[in-house]
Amino acid sequence: MADEQTPLIARVQTRPARERYPHQTLRFICTLILSSGLFLGLAAVIFVLNFDPGSNDNYEPEKTAAGWSAYIPFAHNIPASWPQSSGIEYSDLQAILTTTPDADKAREWSQYYTSGPHLAGKNLSQAIWTKEKWQEFGIANSLIVDYDIYANYPKGHRLALLEKSNNSSHQDASDDGDKETWNIAFEASLEEDVLKEDSTSGLADRIPTFHGYSASGNVTAQYVFVNYGSYKDFEELVAAKVHLEGKIALAKYGGVFRGLKVKRAQELGMVGVVMYSDPGDDGEITEVNGHATYPEGPARQPSSVQRGSCQFLSFAPGDPTTPGYPSKPGSPRLPVDHAIPSIPSLPISYVEALPLLKALNGHGPKASSFNKYWQGGGLGYKGVEYNIGPSPEGLVLNLVNEQEYVITPMWNVIGIINGTIPDEVVVLGNHRDAWIAGGAGDPNSGSAAFNEVIRGFGSALQAGWKPLRTVVFASWDGEEYGLLGSTEWVEEYIPWLSASTIAYLNVDGGSIGSNFKSAAAPLLNKVLIDTVHLVQSPNQTIPGQTVGDVWDKQINTMGSGSDFTAFQDFAGIPSLDVGFTTNSKSAVYHYHSNYDSFDWMEKFGDTGFQYHATIAQVWGLLAANLIETPVIQFNASDYGKGLKRYVESVKEKARKAEIVSGEEVQEALFRPLDQAISHLQIASKLHDNLAAFYLQKLYDNDIPWWKWWEKVKLFYAIRSINTKYKLLERQFLYAEGLDGRPWFKHVVFAPGRWTGYAGATFPGIVEAIEDNDKLAAQRWVAIIAGLVEGAAEFLTPDA
């Protein structure tokens, strides 16, 4: 019997083990092989279903999300942190970008950028400093990208008013009779005054007064006052039978881009152009209204001269020798006649325009006899009667312009923060070059603010932030000559930019006054309006007022004149341009003059540099919204509404021009475009509603963890929404470009053909109307209607 010594486990003898069935080992091996094959086959199917959808040009996210792959774990390239970026919360990023910009720091950067000349192609040390400063801020991936540009630099100039006199003497009267001689009635210094109160105005290496891309030449001829030198001004002079051929044009700055004044004068057979800034365009702040001139007061300094480019900007921006492709070493160079003038031009001050204007008194009709656009000259109190001329035969101008044209390097500074979604990119840009040593307003109020934006993003990186989307910072060179740095960069990287870029955010003159200004593609209207209400205004009449509260809510259409042009009009990337500018009661801004200086900025422009810090806050928060929100914060419905407004404006132009007679005929002309816009409005609203639905679904966060495939499907649905938002602007590109200016590909926005700065909507139709070409108008209506229909189809959700 068992007792307490008996083992708990007893060993019992049994019969030896035997196989369950014959060939058991062989069958086991076969089963293992077959199971492995099945597993590998299933793995292959998973791989095919989920192979890098981002690399497939025909990838359709919503279809992939609805397939088998949505139910297979660990088979998706979803960013680990999605729908947020990693490291810090979005609210923390906003706080950093709001609190980092500092007025004293902005003042420091402004003082550096305005301390010496930095013409395009002559500012390498400044480019290196900028790159190193960004790296110091934490943007480790910062580099310099160079191009070889065609540009001119001044060698010499002269402008003299010559008067003919008849002299006779006893000794030569018998031989030659009376001899004609020419006396110098006036010779312009072509210099700006050196002011002891303005440190950069007297720099030994300050830049002479000249025009970029002006032709060299030595011409002597009678001259004519041509008002602003706009296309319409010249047409009215021709209608008034004022003889222009062989004459020199004396034009006021303003109205249209300066290069277009020279272009039209050249086309009409004129031999040179002289431009000056008339104080009649300075609003209320003028000497005649009792305001002292700079530096004692806010009125225009009489000797100030506006330099600038005379490139035909609205026909071909960028390096004129490489239209449509980048200016790299070894690039083929084309003739430049299509893009820059063949006649010389000079800029002068109004104090040196006075003798020329007064010499026309009594010669030819008065400007007051023309329409309202010829009124308002501000030098009447100086004895100017604003006669048109021409000057009499015995009174001529001698215009000498000597320029050196070279191929020279220029340098863009590019900084990159890689995001977790590599094919969604936001680009921020400002140019660095200036016509003068200063440039405190244009562009370096933007450059100083840019450094503060980048310093803010650097602080976020140090806090552990990794953005959802990739961010690119660009400090452009060569903007002043003709948007060279940005245009060449876009032309070089157009395939990547077209595939990846969501938006381009530009600031040029960031802070030269207190009035917030903006221009934007309609897709960006919403994000702009939302952002400006997040930033406190430096000038509050009521406590707590934001920039949005004191803004006039005006969003201008995109034209040209700054670095957004290549992005918007050539690449079809939605862009905006913002900054604080002047009004009629502001101190006069000395645009492109020696007096756009640090001293002027500190005394009159932005005395505490608070607006520099404010525009940095607006800029940074705009970028953060586009970088971080899971659904891109675009609004396609705003585009549909915008197109409806634009087409009504074009119809009004057609009615006034009487390009077609009868309301029914006109409605028939525009009917295809009206129908296409209606379709786009419906598709836009559906897309925006779908975007809002998915965003709300994401924010509700009511997907159980064990239904992980639902999150995968949601990711791909949102990615589809974002892809359509990203590529919508590209749907309005026409490969052949506008008539006569094929570089401009966008059919909705372009600079006006004869304005240069101001934006034109539906430019193809408008130009056909201006040319009274009914067939061209019909052709452009058909082209645009087709593209708009395509955009509507592109946006329409799949069934």
Side-chain angles (χ1 to χ4, degrees), residues 32 134 147 154 176 186-187 208 216 221 290 292 318 320 377 392 455 491 538 549 563 605 617 696 766 773:
L32 185 63
W134 290 5
Y147 297 92
D176 303 319
F186 168 74
E187 181 151 6
S216 294
R455 196 165 67 87
E491 289 174 346
D549 292 331
D563 289 304
Q617 292 173 330
Q696 189 60 50
V766 168
D773 188 336

Side-chain angles (χ1 to χ4, degrees), residues 585-606:
K585 297 183 180 180
S586 302
V588 171
Y589 174 56
H590 296 82
Y591 180 58
H592 288 181
S593 158
N594 270 350
Y595 310 122
D596 180 9
S597 63
F598 180 83
D599 293 305
W600 178 87
M601 181 63 71
E602 194 165 45
K603 188 171 183 179
F604 292 108
D606 184 10

Side-chain angles (χ1 to χ4, degrees), residues 51 71 97 110 168 289 318 392 410-411 452 600 654 661 726 730:
F51 182 75
Y71 298 92
L97 296 174
S110 176
S168 59
N289 286 338
M410 70 170 184
W411 307 276
E452 287 302 276
W600 178 87
S661 57
K726 177 177 70 174
R730 263 68 114 203

